[in-house]
Amino acid sequence: MGRRPHEWQQRAADVIYELDDNGRFRYRNVYVSVPRQCGKTVMAMGLGMTRLMLQGDAKVWYTAQTGQAARERWLKECATPVSNRLGPIAEVRKGAGDTRMWLPHNFSEFRPMPPNAEYLHGEQSDLVMADEAWVHDDASGAALMQAVAPTFQSRAGTKLGVQMMKFSTMGTAESTWWHQGLAEAIEGQPNTCVIDYGIPDDADPDDVELTIACHPLGHVPAIADFIRDQANEMKGGEFARAFGNRATASRERVIPLDTWKAALSLDPIPAEAPVCFGAAIDIDRTETVIAACAVVDDTPIIEIVDRRPGTSWAADRLEQLVLDHGAPPPVIDPVGPSGTLHDEMVGRGLDVPPFTVRDLTRASANLLDRITHTDGQGVLAPTVRIRPDDGLEAAAEAAATRKVGDSWAWQRTPQGSIASLEAATLALHGAAHRPAPAATPLIIT
């Protein structure tokens, strides 16, 4: 097709088209996860054409974000180069209602298609390729697979076997179908291969040289220089997604990374400082988090005290912390996933302070305002100090907001726990509204 493969493309194709002992393709499911503009679509077209040439009567399909996008990419990256270089062996139709390619000598066929549940009814498939898989959420991804899966039935176990290939850059918080499928494939699934380039999850997303080292084309000097230039132009989350192939927890960070870093401090809460505690359970009830806050020299210090799986341990731990530190009862949101913990603490006789929806919106805004505070010259000057914590860092990255009346609060989503951020918010609220110490009795004689 007139293109010399990049090294990563050749290595990936060598794996994707491995054969088993029966002479069929070893991998029924293929995931190719690479940064943007690395040639995944071009490779998909090459894999599709290879399948057409290897197998008689092959049925190959290609789809992308929309049917129109699939058709335009197929015409540009497959039909045109094939017509220019392989014209004698292939016939191409480019009509709006009949876009396809077939090889007259073996009756194989390659067509673009829209990513919906209806298009493939009555059709058969040997290979289906879904490009830009990150655009799909669970519902649209399920609709696509509802269309694809039945078309494999009559072809499985015959000729070279059936394959489903998914190509994409890592996506956003909405890319649930792609992210979940890729994660499960990496954990280990039979007859599945994963081609995955990008920075590790625990790597610094601002480490430009690491990003270049992990990039499939980073060894090319001109591309390495381009990546360095882009690091100065793009926001941290979008740079990490575009060139480090890291998913962004939300489309744009609600808590900007630079402001978050400015608020971090290694200083612990002094032992003698009066503390308040906040606790939260994540929406999936997989973890509970307890945070502490104390006001020192008019500046709140927030620290994650405990974070553990499950919920059953939290009431005992909270009760002991209150006793050990002479703290007021913890702040717990009585609405939502933490409501069970709130009720348990009340049942134990603790006078848990009332916490309304209005309190929640004010507390959320208070924390964000303190993190993003600037001085008179516009220089970041946070009015809160936050002890570094991996769970809190992840929650701050995943944070999104939801509208509550004329205000907002943190948005809980199944894509990532924000329990650490909620607990920190509640602890700050508790410190800001700490009950005044009881007055010493005055005896008059």
Side-chain angles (χ1 to χ4, degrees), residues 123-445:
E123 299 287 355
Q124 295 178 334
S125 304
D126 295 288
L127 168 61
V128 177
M129 298 181 288
D131 202 358
E132 303 294 353
W134 71 271
V135 303
H136 295 292
D137 58 16
D138 289 337
S140 62
L144 174 60
M145 293 310 298
Q146 181 181 349
V148 170
T151 69
F152 287 142
Q153 180 174 331
S154 63
R155 316 285 282 198
T158 66
K159 301 183 179 180
L160 290 174
V162 298
Q163 287 184 299
M164 177 74 200
M165 299 184 188
K166 301 168 187 174
F167 304 82
S168 189
T169 295
M170 295 301 283
T172 68
E174 287 77 17
S175 308
T176 50
W177 180 68
W178 166 246
H179 291 166
Q180 182 65 27
L182 180 62
E184 292 174 356
I186 290 173
E187 288 178 3
Q189 289 181 328
N191 307 113
T192 299
C193 79
V194 178
I195 312 297
D196 185 19
Y197 285 85
I199 59 176
D201 290 338
D202 59 354
D204 181 357
D206 295 325
D207 189 335
V208 179
E209 296 307 314
L210 176 63
T211 300
I212 292 171
C214 295
H215 196 280
L217 302 179
H219 60 282
V220 180
I223 292 179
D225 289 341
F226 177 76
I227 293 173
R228 292 186 185 97
D229 291 340
Q230 290 301 300
N232 297 321
E233 300 292 334
M234 301 177 71
K235 295 180 179 179
E238 279 305 304
F239 173 79
R241 178 180 169 226
F243 297 101
N245 199 28
R246 174 183 283 186
T248 55
S250 57
R251 292 195 179 276
E252 184 176 347
R253 280 188 65 133
V254 173
I255 306 175
L257 184 61
D258 56 344
T259 63
W260 177 259
K261 288 184 174 180
L264 296 179
S265 171
L266 295 176
D267 295 334
I269 296 175
E272 68 279 3
V275 297
C276 290
F277 296 101
I281 299 173
D282 82 300
I283 192 170
D284 289 329
R285 309 189 73 77
T286 58
E287 71 172 3
T288 306
V289 182
I290 300 173
C293 182
V295 179
V296 179
D297 296 330
D298 296 325
T299 301
I301 301 176
I302 297 173
E303 185 172 343
I304 299 300
V305 175
D306 210 339
R307 181 178 65 254
R308 303 186 211 170
T311 63
S312 60
W313 60 273
D316 288 340
R317 178 72 165 128
L318 271 173
E319 193 170 20
Q320 190 61 49
L321 285 168
V322 168
L323 180 64
D324 291 346
H325 294 271
V331 181
I332 306 171
D333 187 354
V335 178
S338 301
T340 54
L341 179 58
H342 174 276
D343 291 348
E344 185 171 358
M345 299 306 293
V346 171
R348 294 184 178 212
L350 273 73
D351 188 17
V352 178
F355 191 77
T356 66
V357 171
R358 181 60 66 184
D359 292 326
L360 176 63
T361 60
R362 289 172 178 170
S364 301
N366 182 32
L367 178 57
L368 184 60
D369 288 349
R370 287 182 174 276
I371 293 173
T372 59
H373 182 265
T374 58
D375 62 17
Q377 283 72 46
V379 178
L380 284 174
T383 57
V384 63
R385 285 182 285 169
I386 301 171
R387 288 268 289 173
D389 176 84
D390 290 343
L392 188 53
E393 174 74 27
E397 182 181 356
T401 61
R402 57 187 171 93
K403 190 171 179 60
V404 180
D406 59 354
S407 190
W408 60 271
W410 303 122
Q411 173 70 56
R412 306 181 187 101
T413 70
Q415 281 71 54
S417 170
I418 65 163
S420 294
L421 183 63
E422 288 188 275
T425 301
L426 301 181
L428 175 63
H429 179 83
H433 298 83
R434 184 181 177 88
T440 302
L442 176 63
I443 301 175
I444 301 176
T445 59

Side-chain angles (χ1 to χ4, degrees), residues 29-72:
N29 298 298
V30 174
Y31 290 82
V32 178
S33 174
V34 293
R36 291 164 58 184
Q37 298 299 316
C38 287
K40 61 184 183 300
T41 300
V42 169
M43 187 179 76
M45 300 305 175
L47 292 170
M49 283 303 302
T50 300
R51 185 61 178 262
L52 258 63
M53 294 178 178
L54 287 174
Q55 176 186 327
D57 191 35
K59 306 294 184 184
V60 178
W61 304 85
Y62 169 83
T63 190
Q65 302 100 312
T66 64
Q68 181 65 24
R71 180 175 181 273
E72 290 175 356

